[in-house]
């Protein structure tokens, strides 16, 4: 068996195109422009690249982009004051504070100061609680992207057995909640799960989000299963730096029915879903119907 490759890059481009079409209609019919504010504190190289890509794709979708780049020694009081101003700004529908923050800043305090309705990362404790109880919320971007790809591949997910390997607040836990919401039978596993291979082999849907390079191998995959690899790990191999996922791609692809590659799988969906969340937040703020197919 050779797995179908789920092309996250192409899927993300389609999502961005849908978002752009909705934005154009909002402008024409309602005079509204969704706005995304991104706050970057310090000069972490990876964060700088990520923020730059967000700004570019926000503009390409026809949205307003507001970037706030602050020095690494910004005080907590100043950062909280900026968040408060963005909360009160009607032109800003989505707020994202880029993580990680410098060590002297309390990330949880900052995130939980964002207006939950503008929390397009879906990290605010109110959104976590709403998602966990099956209510309307802002959903974390990476799990939302995974869900979109799974729905596209399978159609309905009801009744499928899903295993999520990883229990982070950013991916593992919200991914499990989203799968439960689509009526999957869900197991959350992790690095300390006893007989992890046997647990994984029961999965029709296997989501790897554990942060360990190539931890999930082909002998841990049920024949025909759909494998979603959330991991992005930089390793040295044959004297060269390579990006690999949490799944050993070659061995898993020989067994699975479908698989996401790394790079080019889940990664591109994260920013696409950030744009989708900003659009959703704008529609909710103005009492308009939410865009179909772009929310959980």
């Amino acid at each position: 068996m050779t797995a179908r490759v789920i092309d996250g890059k192409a899927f993300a481009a389609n999502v961005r195109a849908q978002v752009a079409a909705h934005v154009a209609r909002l402008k024409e019919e309602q005079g509204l422009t969704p706005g995304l504010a991104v706050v970057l504190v310090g000069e972490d190289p990876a964060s700088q690249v990520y923020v730059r890509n967000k700004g570019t794709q926000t503009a390409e979708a026809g949205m307003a982009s507001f970037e706030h780049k602050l020095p690494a020694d910004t005080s907590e009081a100043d950062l909280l004051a900026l968040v408060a101003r963005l909360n009160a700004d009607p032109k800003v529908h989505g707020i994202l504070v880029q993580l990680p923050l410098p060590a002297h800043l309390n990330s949880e305090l900052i995130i939980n100061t964002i207006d939950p309705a503008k929390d397009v990362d879906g990290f605010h404790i109110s959104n976590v609680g709403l998602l966990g109880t099956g209510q309307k919320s802002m959903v974390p971007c990476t799990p939302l992207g995974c869900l979109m790809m799974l729905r596209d591949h399978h159609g309905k997910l009801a009744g499928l057995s899903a295993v999520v390997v990883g229990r982070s607040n950013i991916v593992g836990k919200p991914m499990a909640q989203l799968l439960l919401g689509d009526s999957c039978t869900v197991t959350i596993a992790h690095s300390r799960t006893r007989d992890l291979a046997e647990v994984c082999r029961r999965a029709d849907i296997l989501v790897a989000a554990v942060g360990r390079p190539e931890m999930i191998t082909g002998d841990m995959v049920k024949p025909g299963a759909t494998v979603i690899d959330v991991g992005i790990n930089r390793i040295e191999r044959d004297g060269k730096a390579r990006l690999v996922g949490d799944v050993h791609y070659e061995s898993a692809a020989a067994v699975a029915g479908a698989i996401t590659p790394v790079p080019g799988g889940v990664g591109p969906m994260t920013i696409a879903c950030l744009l989708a969340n900003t659009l959703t937040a704008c529609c909710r703020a103005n009492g308009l119907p939410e865009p179909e197919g772009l929310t959980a």
Side-chain angles (χ1 to χ4, degrees):
M1 180 180 296
T2 302
R4 172 196 163 193
V5 178
I6 299 175
D7 188 342
K9 189 174 181 180
F11 199 98
N14 181 55
V15 170
R16 294 196 306 272
Q18 291 180 62
V19 169
H22 279 286
V23 170
R25 284 197 294 274
L26 277 180
K27 289 180 175 180
E28 181 180 353
E29 297 172 6
Q30 306 291 336
L32 286 171
T33 300
L36 173 64
V38 177
V39 179
L40 175 63
V41 184
E43 298 181 353
D44 178 77
S47 292
Q48 286 183 321
V49 171
Y50 198 45
V51 167
R52 185 164 60 247
N53 289 340
K54 287 173 182 174
T56 299
Q57 293 187 29
T58 301
E60 288 175 350
M63 295 183 176
S65 177
F66 308 99
E67 290 189 5
H68 298 268
K69 296 182 179 179
L70 307 177
D73 61 355
T74 296
S75 71
E76 196 162 84
D78 286 345
L79 181 53
L80 288 170
L82 172 58
V83 171
R85 291 197 298 274
L86 296 174
N87 283 342
D89 189 341
K91 298 188 298 296
V92 173
H93 303 97
I95 301 170
L96 182 148
V97 177
Q98 183 65 39
L99 301 176
L101 289 171
H104 70 284
L105 298 172
N106 183 333
S107 298
E108 290 184 356
L109 174 63
I110 303 301
I111 296 304
N112 287 324
T113 302
I114 297 172
D115 179 348
K118 296 187 177 187
D119 167 39
V120 287
D121 253 343
F123 295 164
H124 192 288
I125 190 64
S126 293
N127 283 318
V128 173
L130 290 168
L131 177 61
T133 52
Q135 300 179 68
K136 185 180 291 185
S137 68
M138 297 306 301
V139 178
C141 300
T142 299
L144 178 58
C146 295
L147 182 70
M148 286 182 180
M149 291 190 290
L150 286 167
R151 285 173 172 172
D152 179 74
H153 179 68
H154 284 279
K156 293 184 178 180
L157 305 182
L160 295 178
S161 175
V163 173
V164 179
V165 186
R167 49 183 167 175
S168 73
N169 293 330
I170 293 174
V171 180
K173 291 175 184 175
M175 186 76 250
Q177 295 290 352
L178 289 172
L179 291 166
L180 279 171
D182 271 27
S183 297
C184 290
T185 300
V186 181
T187 300
I188 300 179
H190 43 80
S191 59
R192 296 187 182 182
T193 297
R194 292 183 181 179
D195 201 354
L196 178 61
E198 181 58 31
V199 172
C200 291
R201 278 193 291 268
R202 296 199 294 264
D204 301 309
I205 295 169
L206 180 60
V207 181
V210 73
R212 295 192 178 187
E214 299 179 332
M215 178 179 172
I216 306 298
T217 52
D219 61 346
M220 300 170 71
V221 177
K222 177 181 179 179
T226 301
V227 178
I228 304 293
D229 190 352
V230 182
I232 300 178
N233 309 283
R234 190 175 297 276
I235 65 168
E236 289 284 334
R237 180 171 291 161
D238 300 326
K240 297 181 180 179
R242 288 192 58 191
L243 283 179
V244 299
D246 291 350
V247 176
H248 186 273
Y249 184 82
E250 289 77 11
S251 64
V255 181
I259 191 169
T260 58
V262 176
V266 173
M269 287 296 294
T270 299
I271 295 181
C273 288
L274 175 67
L275 302 180
N277 276 352
T278 303
L279 172 62
T280 297
C282 178
C283 291
R284 289 178 181 174
N286 290 277
L288 299 171
E290 296 179 15
E292 290 186 14
L294 297 177
T295 61

